[in-house]
Amino acid sequence: MSPRHFLTLKDLSSAELKQLLSRASELKKIHREGALYEPLKNRVLGMIFEKSSTRTRVSFESGMAQFGGHALFLSSRDTQLGRGEPVEDSARVISSMVDAVMIRTFEHSLVETFAKYSSVPVINALTDDYHPCQLLADMQTYQEHRGSIEGKKVVWVGDGNNMCNSYINAAALLDFQLVIACPKGYEPNPELVAEHKDRVTVLHNAKDAAKDADLIATDVFASMGQEDEQEQRLKDFDGFQVNTELMSLAHQDALFMHCLPAHRGEEVSAEVLDHPDSVVWDEAENRLHAQKALLEFLLCHK
Ligand code: CP
Ligand code: NVA
């Protein structure tokens, strides 16, 4: 039987995602109480990184250690994958020695190919197209602070990037309305938008979008791999900063989220990011708990 993979949020059913988010909060409680829970004793997670990371690496590595297992950091700089060994061969070999593989890379098709040839679960830890692990943490954070997100209005401000595409998938699975405000030319995947046109709207004005929002989320203007476009994007994204003025258009108890790292003064003002009520630090911490729930789901539920 082929293993369960987590390449996009859609690899989970709506019920599975909801169960996983509740489990993430339970695991957070268990961890905070200092209770020992080691369901992955002697199991190994291979972590392939072709892009930089702080949160993703620390959360997966700590999560595996807390579960009694081990995580292997595999940089493309030091592996044969980085020297051109075919993905198919790397997948067969690496998956024969570990219990799950986490990959952060550029092209989404690489994780799909890896998964096809892997004998163990593969987790997408960010590609150019999707960042589903971050959405687990974002949705857990919303639920912990405000309850169910079903029927709420979520506004994505900024680039129609990997995070934005994953928000579209989350809207479909958790039944919320998503309004995306991006500059012209920076829209998310059009096929994905068309597929979910019943709940996804794309606008080109942040203020129009922010009205009555329950959650406003954003991300950097230039993602990893787009560093050369930074200067042009700074111009093109004029008017797409999440600041106090924009937040004042949302509901009074609206949350602000950012996957981090953030650029204060660009996509978000320092005032919003560093506000005492900001949940972005919880959001970052929840990467740990949400991914532990994901690892448990993929590796312990037969
Ligand atoms: N949000 C996120 O994925 O952070 P890192 O790039 O630090 O892993
Ligand atoms: N969109 C950003 C997310 C970083 C966590 C990037 O891909 O660089």
Side-chain angles (χ1 to χ4, degrees), residues 52-57 104 126 131 134 224 259-261 287:
S52 303
S53 167
T54 295
R55 280 143 287 269
T56 304
R57 179 178 177 183
R104 167 167 286 198
L126 185 147
H131 194 5
Q134 183 66 51
M224 289 182 276
C259 60
L260 305 179
R287 293 291 303 277

Coordinates of all heavy atoms in Angstrom, one line a residue, residues 52-57 104 126 131 134 224 259-261 287, ligand 1:
S52 N 16.4 28.2 2.8 CA 16.7 28.5 4.2 C 15.4 28.2 5.1 O 14.3 28.2 4.6 CB 17.1 29.9 4.4 OG 18.2 30.2 3.6
S53 N 15.7 28.1 6.4 CA 14.5 28.0 7.3 C 15.0 28.2 8.7 O 16.1 27.8 9.1 CB 13.9 26.6 7.2 OG 13.1 26.3 8.3
T54 N 14.1 28.8 9.5 CA 14.3 28.8 11.0 C 13.2 28.0 11.6 O 13.5 26.9 12.2 CB 14.3 30.3 11.6 OG1 15.4 31.0 11.0 CG2 14.4 30.3 13.1
R55 N 12.0 28.4 11.5 CA 10.8 27.8 12.2 C 10.6 26.4 11.7 O 10.4 25.5 12.6 CB 9.5 28.6 11.8 CG 9.3 29.8 12.7 CD 8.7 30.9 11.8 NE 9.7 31.4 10.9 CZ 10.5 32.4 11.2 NH1 10.3 33.1 12.3 NH2 11.4 32.8 10.3
T56 N 10.7 26.1 10.4 CA 10.4 24.7 10.0 C 11.4 23.7 10.5 O 11.1 22.7 11.0 CB 10.4 24.8 8.4 OG1 9.4 25.8 8.0 CG2 9.9 23.4 7.9
R57 N 12.7 24.1 10.4 CA 13.7 23.2 10.9 C 13.6 23.0 12.4 O 13.6 21.8 12.9 CB 15.1 23.7 10.5 CG 16.1 22.7 11.1 CD 17.5 23.1 10.7 NE 18.4 22.1 11.4 CZ 19.7 22.1 11.4 NH1 20.3 23.1 10.7 NH2 20.4 21.2 12.0
R104 N 11.7 20.8 1.8 CA 11.5 22.3 1.4 C 12.3 22.5 0.2 O 13.5 22.3 0.1 CB 12.0 23.2 2.6 CG 12.1 24.6 2.1 CD 12.3 25.6 3.2 NE 11.0 25.8 4.0 CZ 10.8 26.8 4.8 NH1 11.7 27.7 5.0 NH2 9.6 26.9 5.4
L126 N 7.3 23.5 2.3 CA 7.3 24.7 1.5 C 7.8 24.4 0.1 O 8.9 23.9 0.0 CB 8.0 25.9 2.1 CG 8.0 27.2 1.4 CD1 8.1 28.4 2.4 CD2 9.2 27.3 0.4
H131 N 2.5 26.0 1.0 CA 3.1 25.9 2.3 C 2.1 25.4 3.3 O 1.7 26.1 4.3 CB 3.7 27.3 2.8 CG 4.6 27.2 3.9 ND1 5.1 26.1 4.5 CD2 5.2 28.2 4.6 CE1 5.9 26.3 5.5 NE2 6.0 27.6 5.6
Q134 N 2.4 25.5 7.3 CA 2.2 26.8 8.0 C 0.7 27.0 8.2 O 0.2 27.6 9.2 CB 2.7 28.0 7.1 CG 2.5 29.3 7.7 CD 3.4 29.5 8.9 OE1 4.6 29.3 8.9 NE2 2.7 30.0 10.0
M224 N 11.4 33.5 -1.1 CA 12.7 32.9 -1.3 C 12.8 32.5 -2.8 O 11.9 31.9 -3.4 CB 12.9 31.7 -0.4 CG 13.1 32.1 1.0 SD 13.4 30.7 2.1 CE 11.8 30.1 2.4
C259 N 3.4 34.4 8.5 CA 4.1 33.2 8.7 C 5.5 33.4 9.2 O 6.1 32.5 9.8 CB 4.1 32.4 7.4 SG 4.9 33.2 6.0
L260 N 6.0 34.7 9.0 CA 7.4 35.0 9.4 C 8.4 34.3 8.5 O 8.1 33.1 8.1 CB 7.7 34.8 10.9 CG 6.7 35.5 11.9 CD1 7.1 35.1 13.3 CD2 6.7 37.0 11.7
P261 N 9.6 34.8 8.2 CA 10.1 36.1 8.7 C 9.4 37.2 8.1 O 8.9 37.2 6.9 CB 11.6 36.0 8.3 CG 11.6 35.1 7.2 CD 10.6 34.1 7.4
R287 N 3.7 25.9 15.0 CA 4.3 25.1 14.0 C 4.7 23.8 14.6 O 4.6 22.7 14.1 CB 5.5 25.8 13.3 CG 5.2 27.0 12.5 CD 4.5 26.6 11.2 NE 5.2 25.7 10.4 CZ 6.2 25.9 9.6 NH1 6.5 27.2 9.4 NH2 6.8 25.0 8.9
Ligands
CP1 N1 7.3 30.3 8.3 C1 8.3 29.6 8.0 O1 8.2 28.6 7.3 O2 9.5 30.0 8.5 P1 10.9 29.4 8.2 O3 11.2 29.8 6.8 O4 11.8 30.1 9.2 O5 10.9 27.9 8.3

